[in-house]
Amino acid sequence: TGRVPNGRQSGNKPRLMLMGQRRSGKSSISGVVFHKLPPSETLYLETTTQISQSSMHSFMDFQIAELPGHIDFFSPDFDQADIFGNIGAVIWIIDAQDQYLDALTQLLNTITYLAQEWPNINVEVFVHKVDGLSEDFKNDTFRDIRQRIQDELSDLGYDNAPVSFHQTSIYDHSIFEAISKVIQKLLPQLPTLESLLNSLCSSCRIQKAYLFDILSKIYIASDTSPQDTTSYEVCSDLIDVVVDVGEIYGWARPPVDGKTGDQRTEFNNHACESMVTMEKKGHKYLYLREMNSYLALVCIMSDDNPMERKVLIDYNVGVFQEALSKVFQWK
Amino acid sequence: MMSTGSSSKRQKQRKVLLMGKSGAGKSSMRSIVFSNYVAKDVRRLGATIDVEHSNIRFMGNLMLNLWDCGGQDGFTESYLTHQRSHVFASVAVLIFVFDVESREFNADLINYASIIRALYEHSPGAKIFVLIHKMDLIASQHRTSMFNERSEHIRQVSHDEGFGGKGEGRGKEVEFWGTSIWDQSLYKAWTRVIYFLVPNAGVIEGLLRQLADVVEAHELILYERTTCLMVTHISRPYETEGNKHPDRFEKLSAILKAHKQSVAKHTGMPAGSANFAELQIKTGEFMFLITRLTENTNLAVVLPSGEARYNAARINIALAREQFGELDIPTGKSVQRDRA
Ligand SMILES: Nc1nc2c(ncn2[C@@H]2O[C@H](COP(=O)(O)OP(=O)(O)OP(=O)(O)O)[C@@H](O)[C@H]2O)c(=O)[nH]1
Ligand SMILES: Nc1nc2c(ncn2[C@@H]2O[C@H](COP(=O)(O)OP(=O)(O)O)[C@@H](O)[C@H]2O)c(=O)[nH]1
Ligand SMILES: [Mg+2]
């Protein structure tokens, strides 16, 4: 078409487009992930009727748009370049608690359209609302949806369309994890970040390390060792603890008897740091350190006693932070 | 080690009744506060048959004896008739739960009236907390008016039955709290109940105040380890006046409870034993430390920033543990404790 290729070029501005049928959960997802809406409040969301844009100013300026289910973007009323021109990924939401055959047809149309016109856009299928389902039913549904789409695509000759599948719910961490993976694919720096994290892990005996965007709790990279969901959860929850406690107690107190206030003598620890040690010996501990005002490193350590090795950790984390600032050209 | 026999002499067993219509949410809140359920787990609960008892120790000498009374009509009938004195004798606190979505508010009121009439007969000195529950189901702009309207009716009924008001119920005013298992409002209400029951709050606060001075803390919060419910707190005047979060104590309960759960899930431990030895947060503005104080309680300490002050505080808290330990199991000075 002669247009500038879309998507991955847009640097630190991952642009996402949420699509899917009415009530599939698009507004809920954008509310919960990008606006900190409590999941239970999504019951009061009104139906979105227009293409709505919102952005989140954070480490990356995430841009997220929502395309209401009833809008037929094939119609000539729409400027498709306007809609898809800058998009890195389309997230297609399927309500797993509902009949999904119609949705699959729509999804398939979208995938084939994108594959022809905007081949650089990733399609990320979220099999959504899996919270209400039994484990078996959930897995069967997921497999069924993936199988049907893949079969149809290969029948149509689109075996290589960039389509991935995720199971999500706004009631647990799965939605954040899925969005994280979607965004990571759009980050040109990902391989560098991963290898930096890998070397940090091996030098400090870290079991799992995540680099989080603090505001959204999306992780933009992790080391490449295998992970289970609960590692992400426990690290992301530590951010909650630190952010929430910081919100409660991080205020400028008046000086009292010339004592508190700004008498931050000795070690003025401006980068926030947090550590949790477990009671039972042999249980791991958690470590968090702010990298800049948007990013935090959160690690699951595999040692018993953090204090003994604190100096080593501080040193290596310092090195990591330095490398990070080069990758992203801070300062 | 102490034998349990000698410690129980001064242990205060306090009977707490948890009542309300079936489906009001009693067992849900009990499981969240006392048994480490998370809000979405409570869908698994079945209706309570008769009464379920649980005992929870707070600060050693306060033993909460919680009676979760199944609310189906047949059970209520029996509490009011042949089990009447068994259920309503020597009650310290009645927590009565109203489902805010109930379509039969008048029937609920009548039920409430007959319950507190029985309470008045057998434990006239009992304190009543009324929880208007499932507030999350009301759109937020209507919550306050709904809460006020319901409380007003219930308050009137309470006065008629001798709890609160200007007549014979004078001085026994019922307390009202709007709650939901989906936010920290649950902890706010239960913290009030606990504070009402803690027998030696004055002594504890005295010791904590000394400790706060020694470590130069902005604030100290003492809470029970399993439930994360606050027992009490000591705050500097500037913290009380200046902190923008008057609801921070119940927020903290909710935060810590959630943390406990995620750690439990990650390690595969039962949530009850997923305890951290220490949690620290250091920032340029403040420092925050949580550590164990007694067998059942943790202390959260908010300090000005500074590494030296932080380390001194840790040592002073360790030294104070012994003093508080004596409070925990109160048998005079010569208590030997073999804590490792
Ligand atoms: N939306 C909402 N639902 C709640 C809340 N608390 C409890 N529920 C729901 O209410 C239902 C009944 O809860 P239970 O705790 O079993 O009720 P109960 O009062 O113990 O009932 P009985 O044992 O029969 O007396 C459950 O399905 C809960 O999920 C709340 O705060 N908000
Ligand atoms: N059980 C469950 N319900 C969800 C989930 N996500 C969204 N919902 C509900 O689905 C309904 C429709 O969501 P909404 O975001 O308005 O859909 P939209 O039309 O695609 O924007 C709302 O009542 C949400 O509360 C989920 O993960 N699990
Ligand atoms: Mg029950």
Side-chain angles (χ1 to χ4, degrees), chain B residues 234-335:
Chain B
I234 298 295
S235 312
R236 303 268 157 175
Y238 57 80
E239 194 70 34
T240 306
E241 284 153 26
N243 193 307
K244 297 282 187 308
H245 299 269
D247 57 351
R248 60 189 175 281
F249 307 108
E250 56 268 19
K251 269 194 180 139
L252 208 59
S253 297
I255 294 167
L256 293 169
K257 196 71 182 264
H259 175 71
K260 213 173 148 75
Q261 257 130 11
S262 79
V263 169
K265 198 166 164 198
H266 177 67
T267 54
M269 280 187 266
S273 51
N275 292 311
F276 50 71
E278 199 170 294
L279 179 150
Q280 61 180 48
I281 299 173
K282 298 176 176 176
T283 76
E285 266 171 324
F286 71 93
M287 294 198 162
F288 183 82
L289 165 71
I290 297 182
T291 179
R292 172 180 273 215
L293 193 65
T294 70
E295 190 165 334
N296 300 301
T297 58
N298 276 0
L299 187 66
V301 187
V302 188
L303 296 163
S305 62
E307 201 72 9
R309 184 191 272 110
Y310 181 87
N311 292 331
R314 278 186 75 195
I315 295 169
N316 280 309
I317 295 165
L319 292 173
R321 262 183 205 126
E322 202 176 333
Q323 258 181 323
F324 283 92
E326 287 171 22
L327 268 186
D328 217 13
I329 299 185
T331 42
K333 287 264 172 260
S334 61
V335 183

Side-chain angles (χ1 to χ4, degrees), chain B residues 135-154:
Chain B
M135 290 301 277
D136 60 286
L137 296 175
I138 307 295
S140 46
Q141 68 270 29
H142 301 134
R143 279 178 201 160
T144 315
S145 59
M146 187 69 162
F147 175 77
N148 289 338
E149 188 204 310
R150 291 282 157 101
S151 329
E152 206 34 63
H153 281 104
I154 303 167

Side-chain angles (χ1 to χ4, degrees), chain A residues 44 230 233 237 244 247-249 251 253 256 259 264 266 269 272-279, chain B residues 136 218-219 221 225 238-239 243 245 262 265-266 275-278 280 282-284 292 305 307-308:
Chain A
Y44 309 109
T230 66
E233 283 183 32
D237 283 344
D244 291 348
E247 228 159 67
I248 293 174
Y249 288 112
W251 58 286
R253 293 171 181 81
V256 175
K259 258 186 178 171
R264 293 170 194 162
E266 326 106 42
N269 188 353
C272 170
E273 181 183 80
S274 172
M275 203 136 69
V276 180
T277 39
M278 295 307 292
E279 190 173 60
Chain B
D136 60 286
H218 295 314
E219 189 157 88
I221 300 163
R225 284 156 60 88
Y238 57 80
E239 194 70 34
N243 193 307
H245 299 269
S262 79
K265 198 166 164 198
H266 177 67
N275 292 311
F276 50 71
E278 199 170 294
Q280 61 180 48
K282 298 176 176 176
T283 76
R292 172 180 273 215
S305 62
E307 201 72 9

Side-chain angles (χ1 to χ4, degrees), chain A residues 23-28 42-43 66 128-129 131 169-171:
Chain A
R23 312 290 295 159
S24 56
K26 299 181 290 297
S27 311
S28 306
T42 59
L43 292 169
E66 194 182 327
H128 189 57
K129 307 195 193 178
D131 50 277
S169 160
I170 53 168
Y171 287 102

Side-chain angles (χ1 to χ4, degrees), chain A residues 52-284:
Chain A
S52 57
Q53 279 265 3
S54 58
S55 60
M56 175 162 179
H57 177 66
S58 188
F59 167 66
M60 293 169 287
D61 290 322
F62 302 111
Q63 303 234 348
I64 188 148
E66 194 182 327
L67 194 63
H70 65 272
I71 288 186
D72 175 16
F73 56 85
F74 297 115
S75 92
D77 302 347
F78 286 96
D79 179 359
Q80 281 102 11
D82 206 37
I83 302 180
F84 296 108
N86 285 311
I87 297 295
V90 159
I91 298 176
W92 184 284
I93 323 291
I94 292 179
D95 183 344
Q97 296 188 8
D98 200 6
Q99 302 292 331
Y100 50 75
L101 290 184
D102 285 348
L104 292 190
T105 314
Q106 272 188 41
L107 168 59
L108 213 60
N109 290 339
T110 309
I111 297 175
T112 48
Y113 165 76
L114 290 176
Q116 285 165 34
E117 303 291 328
W118 309 96
N120 284 332
I121 296 182
N122 297 329
V123 179
E124 310 279 356
V125 180
F126 285 12
V127 177
H128 189 57
K129 307 195 193 178
V130 292
D131 50 277
L133 311 176
S134 74
E135 203 62 24
D136 282 348
F137 189 80
K138 178 169 115 177
N139 292 332
D140 288 348
T141 306
F142 185 71
R143 221 170 301 132
D144 183 52
I145 290 175
R146 190 171 53 188
Q147 199 58 50
R148 282 170 190 266
I149 294 294
Q150 282 169 347
D151 288 352
E152 292 282 348
L153 284 178
S154 80
D155 287 353
L156 296 166
Y158 290 101
D159 291 299
N160 297 322
V163 184
S164 328
F165 296 83
H166 312 259
Q167 304 189 26
T168 57
S169 160
I170 53 168
Y171 287 102
D172 56 36
H173 294 76
S174 58
I175 190 66
F176 290 92
E177 228 186 335
I179 297 263
S180 299
K181 290 188 177 141
V182 169
I183 287 186
Q184 286 171 21
K185 282 193 206 161
L186 304 176
L187 265 190
Q189 297 92 340
L190 183 67
T192 319
L193 295 176
E194 284 180 343
S195 74
L196 286 173
L197 285 165
N198 281 343
S199 71
L200 179 69
C201 284
S202 66
S203 58
C204 294
R205 275 200 268 154
I206 293 170
Q207 193 176 15
K208 191 79 205 166
Y210 294 92
L211 188 59
F212 270 95
D213 179 63
I214 300 168
L215 215 57
S216 60
K217 285 194 290 151
I218 285 167
Y219 72 99
I220 63 168
S222 72
D223 68 294
T224 51
S225 69
Q227 67 166 330
D228 56 296
T229 355
T230 66
S231 318
Y232 167 77
E233 283 183 32
V234 77
C235 291
S236 132
D237 283 344
L238 181 61
I239 293 188
D240 278 343
V241 173
V242 172
V243 168
D244 291 348
V245 171
E247 228 159 67
I248 293 174
Y249 288 112
W251 58 286
R253 293 171 181 81
V256 175
D257 318 334
K259 258 186 178 171
T260 51
D262 243 324
Q263 239 210 5
R264 293 170 194 162
T265 47
E266 326 106 42
F267 184 94
N268 198 351
N269 188 353
H270 273 291
C272 170
E273 181 183 80
S274 172
M275 203 136 69
V276 180
T277 39
M278 295 307 292
E279 190 173 60
K280 295 228 168 65
K281 251 192 130 28
H283 280 294
K284 299 149 217 153

Side-chain angles (χ1 to χ4, degrees), chain B residues 154-190:
Chain B
I154 303 167
R155 184 175 294 121
Q156 204 50 57
V157 171
S158 313
H159 291 179
D160 296 345
E161 298 297 333
F163 289 94
K166 295 208 173 65
E168 51 181 328
R170 184 192 290 270
K172 291 195 293 173
E173 212 49 63
V174 174
E175 275 190 38
F176 292 88
W177 298 94
T179 52
S180 161
I181 55 170
W182 294 102
D183 62 36
Q184 75 246 13
S185 56
L186 191 63
Y187 290 95
K188 181 164 190 156
W190 281 88

